[in-house]
Structures are given as structure tokens and as C-alpha cells.
């Protein structure tokens, strides 16, 4: 068991190292470029010390773009970071709009090597846990930010929607993720058709 854990931790470390290189490259190519540039092997000057990374990490509860803004709050797992949202935009009237569709979140997912090989070759679908894993690294505590709690919040969002409407939205989001990860391949695995609702069944019924 200890050896299995060591192997899993080593693989996770390799994945995170690859992701850090990729994210540094994407950010340095953005416009305007970060100042100072993001170093792929050194976290010094990153996080909330660099505007390029700070605006991605800033919780949507606060406005990093405000020139009068000062970092005077706790960053905890109880706040969604901006990078989870499409274009980093949070809609106070519709707080789930664009959630888990952030540009860099999707870019981190695009190297399919981050998924197990079986997922890529045997048609496995993308699950709630996969989405949660794409959202961050899971050491237990980083300052005031509890990664395990953050992971639980994300999985609960998918597994425990409070209303039928919320469940339909979550189901659509998982289909969206699967299309981003796998494209049209293995669609029957993650979005099976109800045969009775389609043309073959309809024409067959008319024949009887």
C-alpha cells in the first residue's frame, strides 16, 4: 500500500510539473504579457505577487481589476477562484453561469495525457472527480486554503444538485466536459441516446 501511494504521488508530481510548464508558457504568451515574466520552475513572484496569476486566483467575490483594490481578505476553499469561470466573469444573478468553463481550466485539461491511458483508449467518460482534479493540486493545506475541502465542494456540486433544474445543468456540464476531452469519440458512453425517442423507433411504430 505504501509503495502504491508513493507511485501515485510520483505520477501526480510529474503531471503537476508538466502543467506548471504549460501554464507558464500560456501566461507568458498572453497579451499583455506578465511583468515580470512567469518562471516555469520558480514560483517566486507568482501567485498574488504577479497581476497575471493574481487575477486568475482572485476569488470571484472580489474585484481584482479595481485600481483601488487591496489584498485584505483570506483566500480559502469557501471562495471560487476566477479561473474556474468562463472569461473569469462571475454573474451575481446567475452564479453557476460559466462555472467550470474557464479558459485556463480547459487548457490544463487539453493534454489528454493527464487522464489515465485506459480513459483515452477504452472510452471511459469524464467524471465529477476528473473535473475536480483538473481544478487544482491536492496537498491538504496551503496557507488558509484547504485543497481537500475545495475538492469536496467541487464533487458535491456535481453529485448533490439541489433541484431538478440544477441536476439538468450539471448533466449538461458533464457532457460539455466529455466533448472537450474526448470529442465525438465514445459519445454513447457519456451521452447515450434513448432509442425510443428517435426516427427508427418512430417509423417502426408506424409500421405496426
Amino acid at each position: 500500500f505504501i509503495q502504491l501511494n508513493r507511485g501515485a504521488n510520483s505520477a501526480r508530481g510529474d503531471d503537476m510539473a508538466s502543467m506548471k510548464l504549460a501554464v507558464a508558457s500560456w501566461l507568458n504568451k498572453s497579451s499583455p504579457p506578465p511583468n515580470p515574466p512567469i518562471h516555469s520552475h520558480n514560483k517566486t513572484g507568482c501567485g498574488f505577487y504577479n497581476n497575471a496569476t493574481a487575477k486568475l486566483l482572485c476569488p470571484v467575490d472580489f474585484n481584482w481589476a479595481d485600481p483601488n483594490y487591496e489584498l485584505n481578505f483570506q483566500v480559502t476553499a469557501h471562495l471560487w477562484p476566477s479561473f474556474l469561470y468562463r472569461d473569469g466573469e462571475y454573474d451575481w444573478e446567475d452564479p453557476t453561469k460559466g462555472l467550470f468553463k474557464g479558459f485556463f481550466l480547459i487548457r490544463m485539461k487539453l493534454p489528454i495525457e493527464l487522464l489515465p491511458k485506459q480513459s483515452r483508449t477504452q472510452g471511459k467518460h469524464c467524471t465529477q472527480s476528473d473535473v475536480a482534479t483538473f481544478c487544482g493540486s491536492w496537498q491538504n493545506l496551503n496557507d488558509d486554503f484547504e485543497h481537500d475541502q475545495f475538492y469536496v465542494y467541487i464533487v458535491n456540486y456535481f453529485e448533490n444538485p439541489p433541484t431538478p433544474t440544477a441536476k439538468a445543468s450539471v448533466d449538461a456540464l458533464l457532457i460539455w466536459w466529455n466533448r472537450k476531452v474526448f470529442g465525438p469519440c465514445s459519445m454513447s458512453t457519456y451521452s447515450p441516446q434513448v432509442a425510443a425517442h428517435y426516427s427508427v423507433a418512430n417509423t417502426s411504430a408506424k409500421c405496426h
Side-chain angles (χ1 to χ4, degrees):
F1 181 77
I2 294 175
Q3 289 180 331
L4 286 174
N5 271 340
R6 286 175 179 169
N9 289 336
S10 176
R12 190 179 300 112
D14 290 342
D15 286 343
M16 290 307 300
S18 298
M19 289 172 65
K20 288 176 182 177
L21 288 171
V23 171
S25 175
W26 299 330
L27 287 172
N28 285 328
K29 292 177 182 177
S30 62
S31 181
N35 185 21
I38 304 298
H39 196 289
S40 58
H41 297 289
N42 189 338
K43 294 190 292 184
T44 302
C46 294
F48 285 97
Y49 298 100
N50 190 302
N51 193 60
T53 49
K55 67 181 181 181
L56 297 174
L57 296 172
C58 182
V60 294
D61 307 71
F62 306 97
N63 183 12
W64 186 261
D66 185 346
N68 299 316
Y69 179 78
E70 292 183 6
L71 183 61
N72 57 2
F73 60 87
Q74 276 186 308
V75 179
T76 71
H78 309 303
L79 312 171
W80 291 132
S82 296
F83 77 86
L84 294 184
Y85 281 84
R86 181 192 287 123
D87 299 325
E89 296 181 358
Y90 178 70
D91 187 336
W92 288 93
E93 299 297 324
D94 185 4
T96 63
K97 181 179 179 182
L99 181 58
F100 301 118
K101 292 186 176 181
F103 174 77
F104 282 100
L105 178 60
I106 301 304
R107 289 291 299 269
M108 285 191 293
K109 174 273 318 156
L110 285 176
I112 302 299
E113 307 90 83
L114 293 179
L115 287 176
K117 183 177 181 181
Q118 297 92 315
S119 299
R120 308 194 300 272
T121 59
Q122 297 179 10
K124 177 188 171 184
H125 61 283
C126 194
T127 68
Q128 299 94 324
S129 296
D130 292 326
V131 177
T133 301
F134 288 132
C135 293
S137 59
W138 306 116
Q139 65 186 61
N140 185 47
L141 189 66
N142 184 358
D143 295 327
D144 294 319
F145 196 99
E146 296 185 34
H147 290 258
D148 287 352
Q149 181 63 66
F150 188 59
Y151 181 91
V152 168
Y153 280 148
I154 295 171
V155 173
N156 281 344
Y157 176 85
F158 285 94
E159 292 188 345
N160 301 301
T163 66
T165 300
K167 184 181 186 310
S169 176
V170 163
D171 290 344
L173 179 59
L174 278 175
I175 290 174
W176 183 89
W177 263 91
N178 273 285
R179 286 175 175 162
K180 289 290 184 181
V181 174
F182 298 108
C185 300
S186 304
M187 187 176 289
S188 60
T189 301
Y190 59 80
S191 182
Q193 291 181 338
V194 180
H197 294 173
Y198 292 96
S199 53
V200 171
N202 290 337
T203 53
S204 297
K206 296 294 185 181
C207 293
H208 297 289

